[in-house]
Amino acid sequence: MNGLSQWARSHKPQVAAIAAAIVVAIVVAIAVASGALATSEQQPEQQESRTVDVTLNVTADNGWDENSTPAIAHIEGNDVDFYHAVAPDADGNKGTSTVELAEGDYTVSFVSPVNSDGSAFDIYDTGAPVDITVDADAKTAPAVNCLMAQIPADKVTDEMLANIVDKTKDAIKKGDETLKGDSGKAILGKLDGNVSANPNVSDETKEDASKADEGVDIDGKPADTIGKPADKPSGGNANASGSNIGNSNSGNAGGSDKPSTPAHQHSWTQHTAQRWVSNMVTVPDYETQTVYGARFYVPTGTPGQYIAKGPEYWFENGFTRDDLNAIIVNALRNADENGLYNGVDYSSYQNIEKTVQVQVGSHQEDHGYYEDYVDYVYCSSCGARQ
C-alpha cells in the first residue's frame, strides 16, 4: 500500500489522467443507460388493427329493384367517415353487404334510394342513427338492419329529392369502392333518370341530379374504411403514456419545445330530417246507378194533341210502382170532362230513366303531410354528435 502511494506521488500526471478516464466512463455508462430507458419509455407498444366484418341488411316493403339507386350507408367513427352502397338482390326489396371495420365505436345511418318511377323511401329510425361497437373478441359480429317504407312518387316532394341528390353526391366524394369508378357512374346515371321521373321535381333539382358527377372525383381513390386501431392501453404502456404527458407540462422536462395544442371548440349545428304526420279521414265510396220513372202527358193547345211534359215520378228514395198506381187511380177518378186532372192526362205516361251517384260505403285515407324536425345535433368541424 505504501509503495502504491509513493508511486502515485511520483507520477501525479499519470494519476490525474487515469482518474479522468474513469469519470468519463462512468458518465457515458449512465448516459447510455438513461437513454436506453428513455427510449424504452417513449416507444409505445405498436398495436395491430383488428378488424371485423359488419353486416348491413336493408329491407324495403315495395318498389326497390335493380332499376333503383342503392341504399347508401354512412359510417362514421374511429377516425373514419365514409359511405358504402347496398344494392337490392335479384328478387328485389332486400339487399345485404358487409364492411370491414377496425375495433371501435361507430354510427351508421342511411340515404334513401330513388326508384325508377320517382318514388323514394321513409327509412325507419333515421331520427336515431344506429350506434355500434366493433369488438374482435365478441362472440358475434354486429349487424345493422335498415327497414324502408315506400313513399309514392306523388307524395315525394322536391325538397326530399334535392336532399337525396346532395347526400348521394357527398357519398360519391367519400365513398368506398362501391361508390367509385364504374359503380359510382352507374349509380349517378340511375339517380338522374329516377329523379327526373318524379312529378314534383323542379327544374333546379333535375339539373343538379344531371350534373351530380361534377366535382365529386368519381374516379378517385376510395375512402379509408379501416382507420386507426382502437385505443386500448394496458399494463406498463398505460403508465408510461401517463408519465410522458405529465412531463410535457413541467418545464419541458421531457425535452419537447412544442406548444400545447388548444382544446377543440365544438361548433354545434342542427341536422334536420322529415317525418310523416298521419291524418286519417273517412272518404265516401260512390257508384253509378240507373233510376227509372214515369212522365205524364199534357195538352199542346191543339185539340187532340198531347206532349210528355207533365209531372215526373222517380222510383227512388222509397217511391214504388204501387205508389205511382195509386196516384193514377186517384187522378182518373177525379178527372174533368176532358179526362184531365189538374191539367194532366194520367191515362198514360212515358217511361224515363236517369243515372245518379249513390254512396255505397266508405274507406279510410291518410291525408297527412311531411314535417321537418331536428333529429340530432352535430359538430360541423369534427362530426361529433349530441
Side-chain angles (χ1 to χ4, degrees):
M1 186 68 180
N2 291 334
L4 180 60
S5 298
Q6 291 176 0
W7 183 88
R9 284 195 296 269
S10 62
H11 296 78
K12 290 182 179 180
Q14 290 87 343
V15 171
I18 293 172
I22 293 173
V23 170
V24 170
I26 294 173
V27 170
V28 170
I30 293 173
V32 170
S34 298
L37 178 60
T39 301
S40 175
E41 289 181 349
Q42 292 174 3
Q43 292 293 329
E45 181 181 345
Q46 294 297 320
Q47 187 174 3
E48 291 186 11
S49 292
R50 299 200 301 168
T51 62
V52 174
D53 287 338
V54 176
T55 302
L56 305 174
N57 297 313
V58 181
T59 304
D61 61 347
N62 188 49
W64 191 38
D65 57 30
E66 61 183 3
N67 298 314
S68 308
T69 60
I72 302 177
H74 186 194
I75 301 171
E76 302 170 273
N78 199 30
D79 205 33
V80 298
D81 181 359
F82 71 96
Y83 292 81
H84 179 90
V86 182
D89 59 22
D91 295 329
N93 296 322
K94 288 186 178 181
T96 299
S97 186
T98 59
V99 290
E100 184 182 9
L101 298 176
E103 290 183 306
D105 296 325
Y106 299 87
T107 298
V108 183
S109 57
F110 287 86
V111 180
S112 167
V114 181
N115 300 319
S116 58
D117 63 352
S119 60
F121 293 92
D122 182 16
I123 299 178
Y124 296 152
D125 294 331
T126 51
V130 178
D131 294 324
I132 62 171
T133 296
V134 176
D135 184 354
D137 295 325
K139 292 183 178 179
T140 58
V144 179
N145 299 313
C146 174
L147 304 178
M148 308 189 301
Q150 186 181 26
I151 304 172
D154 60 349
K155 296 290 182 64
V156 178
T157 66
D158 178 65
E159 183 180 4
M160 294 168 63
L161 292 169
N163 182 262
I164 293 174
V165 171
D166 287 342
K167 288 183 176 179
T168 303
K169 289 166 62 177
D170 193 44
I172 297 293
K173 289 180 184 178
K174 298 190 289 186
D176 64 5
E177 69 279 357
T178 64
L179 289 155
K180 292 291 187 180
D182 292 340
S183 297
K185 293 172 185 177
I187 290 170
L188 292 185
K190 290 180 181 179
L191 181 71
D192 180 16
N194 295 357
V195 166
S196 297
N198 184 277
N200 300 321
V201 68
S202 66
D203 292 338
E204 180 181 359
T205 302
K206 280 185 181 180
E207 183 178 5
D208 195 21
S210 68
K211 297 180 178 179
D213 59 340
E214 297 180 2
V216 296
D217 194 18
I218 197 167
D219 290 315
K221 181 181 178 182
D224 176 26
T225 63
I226 301 299
K228 63 183 180 182
D231 187 13
K232 291 185 177 180
S234 61
N237 289 332
N239 293 333
S241 175
S243 174
N244 287 337
I245 292 174
N247 289 339
S248 66
N249 294 325
S250 55
N252 288 331
S256 173
D257 57 0
K258 294 182 180 180
S260 61
T261 303
H264 170 66
Q265 297 294 322
H266 291 300
S267 178
W268 297 115
T269 303
Q270 290 184 338
H271 181 275
T272 59
Q274 287 195 324
R275 61 187 173 194
W276 181 255
V277 179
S278 182
N279 178 30
M280 301 303 297
V281 297
T282 300
V283 179
D285 295 325
Y286 293 92
E287 71 177 18
T288 301
Q289 294 183 356
T290 300
V291 179
Y292 298 95
R295 181 185 297 126
F296 289 92
Y297 292 89
V298 294
T300 62
T302 300
Q305 293 185 0
Y306 296 86
I307 187 171
K309 288 188 176 181
E312 295 178 353
Y313 297 90
W314 295 100
F315 302 122
E316 62 181 350
N317 300 323
F319 186 81
T320 66
R321 290 188 178 275
D322 290 339
D323 297 324
L324 179 64
N325 290 334
I327 292 173
I328 294 173
V329 170
N330 179 67
L332 294 177
R333 286 176 178 173
N334 296 285
D336 59 18
E337 65 276 8
N338 297 317
L340 304 177
Y341 177 70
N342 293 332
V344 179
D345 182 5
Y346 279 92
S347 62
S348 62
Y349 58 84
Q350 181 185 51
N351 290 313
I352 56 177
E353 64 181 49
K354 64 179 180 179
T355 57
V356 295
Q357 292 293 309
V358 179
Q359 182 175 350
V360 294
S362 63
H363 66 278
Q364 295 289 309
E365 289 184 2
D366 191 351
H367 288 190
Y369 59 92
Y370 284 95
E371 69 173 9
D372 293 330
Y373 72 102
V374 177
D375 52 355
Y376 60 87
V377 178
Y378 67 98
C379 176
S380 58
S381 59
C382 73
R385 296 192 185 189
Q386 286 184 336

